[in-house]
Amino acid sequence: MSALEKFGVEIFTQHNIFERISVEKPFRPDNPAFIFVKTGSIKLRQHFSDLELSANMFMVTDPQTVYEMVSVSDDFQSRMVSYKREFISALSLKFNRLIAYRYFRQQMNRGVPFQQDEMEVVWKSVNFLKFILDSPTEMMYKKEIVEHLFSVFAYQMAGIISKEDSSSMSHMSRQEEIVFIFLNDLAANHHTEKTVEFYAEKQSITTRHLSSVVKTITGKSASQIIALVIINEAKVLLNSTKKPVSEISSILGFSDQYSFSHFFKKHLEVSPRQYRNQFEN
């Protein structure tokens, strides 16, 4: 049984992080995680653009987003703290709200810089938590110790994020708020709803206004982002499952396999089967 299943949290280093981050194909994380970079750099592709993390930076990954690894440097040194969402639910709502906001800002292609001394403190906390998790010694109250150490880490992060976002947190522009809600609505409804009209109506605004705001903030139109999310979802289903194309088209809310294949080929210039074959050869 993995530490994640047993304790609700698991820590990966640069030596085994790629067990959780696929190197050659798009992937969607099973659980949310913090990725810290101490030295070197890693570049990940998200819906909108590439996000590069270099020394003394961190990012938040989320199971609602599909990522592709673009590159990693030879001197890459990292920690990834992966946790089950229910494990953190007992912590303060303020922390969860900060993480949601940080995730949104990150979607705008912004990693989060650390002060070096802040990174040192968090790095030591994560390493000690990893030491306890990995310890083969029978330890009374190990689960409780893990929970408390994770809480220490979480509050350290909440303090750093609060400070970094102290001004912008309370001044989220109306345009950013519209995009934030659009992304959340899209994550929840993209299997069944693919029109800009649906997402505009959810916010009681016109399609023209939603499209204009999304373009201003992200550089891509609302319809482009909807297509990107669906294509990325399709990629993951094609390369990480054995489900037939007909079943995948149904999962993604297409009326039939032909409609899905036409949509897929329009955006990637290969058919779903041709795309899948790339990973089977």
Side-chain angles (χ1 to χ4, degrees), residues 41-239:
S41 64
I42 185 171
K43 186 182 285 188
L44 295 172
R45 182 161 294 139
Q46 300 181 132
H47 293 324
F48 307 144
S49 55
D50 293 348
L51 172 68
E52 184 165 8
L53 298 177
S54 52
N56 297 318
M57 294 183 76
F58 81 92
M59 69 178 286
V60 183
T61 64
D62 187 274
Q64 292 183 325
T65 298
V66 173
Y67 301 88
E68 289 184 62
M69 204 190 82
V70 179
S71 62
V72 61
S73 68
D74 293 337
D75 57 344
F76 178 62
Q77 190 180 7
S78 77
R79 295 291 182 269
M80 181 169 82
V81 182
S82 181
Y83 62 91
K84 288 188 176 294
R85 200 177 292 280
E86 56 267 27
F87 187 69
I88 210 170
S89 60
L91 296 175
S92 71
L93 288 174
K94 181 183 178 186
F95 177 69
N96 286 316
R97 186 166 63 93
L98 283 164
I99 293 303
Y101 184 76
R102 165 49 47 208
Y103 177 67
F104 165 70
R105 300 294 292 191
Q106 179 183 296
Q107 287 278 30
M108 300 298 104
N109 197 27
R110 299 176 193 174
V112 188
F114 265 120
Q115 297 293 328
Q116 190 167 351
D117 57 344
E118 290 175 335
M119 174 63 96
E120 289 294 337
V121 172
V122 171
W123 195 261
K124 285 175 181 173
S125 291
V126 170
N127 282 342
F128 187 55
L129 177 53
K130 178 173 170 54
F131 172 76
I132 297 295
L133 285 168
D134 293 350
S135 173
T137 309
E138 284 297 318
M139 195 180 297
M140 193 177 290
Y141 304 121
K142 183 170 181 175
K143 186 172 184 294
E144 289 78 5
I145 291 169
V146 167
E147 287 173 356
H148 282 286
L149 289 175
F150 183 82
S151 292
V152 169
F153 158 75
Y155 282 111
Q156 284 176 325
M157 293 307 302
I160 290 165
I161 295 168
S162 293
K163 186 175 72 173
E164 196 267 334
D165 280 331
S166 58
S167 58
S168 57
M169 185 71 195
S170 58
H171 294 101
M172 189 182 202
S173 73
R174 174 59 183 148
Q175 287 190 328
E176 287 181 332
E177 187 181 348
I178 287 170
V179 176
F180 187 29
I181 294 169
F182 167 64
L183 294 175
N184 282 327
D185 287 343
L186 182 57
N189 297 286
H190 68 269
H191 289 100
T192 54
E193 302 294 342
K194 298 175 174 56
T195 66
V196 179
E197 288 80 5
F198 171 83
Y199 296 101
E201 285 174 9
K202 288 277 287 181
Q203 298 196 54
S204 302
I205 58 178
T206 66
T207 55
R208 176 179 285 186
H209 185 50
L210 177 62
S211 296
S212 172
V213 168
V214 170
K215 181 81 171 179
T216 298
I217 297 294
T218 70
K220 287 184 167 59
S221 69
S223 58
Q224 282 177 314
I225 290 174
I226 293 168
L228 271 171
V229 168
I230 296 165
I231 286 293
N232 284 337
E233 189 80 21
K235 285 179 177 179
V236 169
L237 289 168
L238 287 164
N239 69 43

Side-chain angles (χ1 to χ4, degrees), residues 252-265:
L252 294 175
F254 288 88
S255 57
D256 52 45
Q257 184 176 329
Y258 172 79
S259 300
F260 168 60
S261 296
H262 178 75
F263 174 86
F264 194 90
K265 194 164 187 177

